[in-house]
Amino acid sequence: MTLERQIALIIGRETGLQDVGPETRLDWQQARDVNDTVCIQLNLNIGTIEAMHCRTVGDYIELVRSKS
């Protein structure tokens, strides 16, 4: 499974959003909330503040790529 797909599945499960893709909008609370789960499941260390700046799933995927 690709990194993008893993992140999309985690975001969908944590937020209840369906059909999660790169253009799916995230508010700062959703980004903050999914960040903990993503970091634990993918063994990453991404700061909450950094995650909260992501406005879309694509932004968040790029952040994860830069940290992995």
Side-chain angles (χ1 to χ4, degrees):
M1 182 180 309
T2 67
L3 178 65
E4 293 83 2
R5 186 71 186 131
Q6 286 178 298
I7 293 169
L9 289 173
I10 293 168
I11 290 172
R13 187 174 55 240
E14 294 294 312
T15 63
L17 296 172
Q18 295 182 355
D19 299 322
V20 175
E23 299 301 318
T24 303
R25 304 273 314 151
L26 292 174
D27 65 32
W28 66 270
Q29 291 173 320
Q30 290 169 319
R32 178 198 64 201
D33 294 346
V34 300
N35 189 55
D36 288 340
T37 303
V38 169
C39 287
I40 290 168
Q41 290 189 9
L42 300 180
N43 195 29
L44 299 171
N45 184 16
I46 299 172
T48 302
I49 300 298
E50 290 176 286
M52 289 171 44
H53 287 288
C54 297
R55 296 292 170 235
T56 65
V57 171
D59 292 343
Y60 189 73
I61 289 170
E62 288 304 314
L63 175 62
V64 171
R65 278 191 188 136
S66 74
K67 300 293 183 175
S68 55

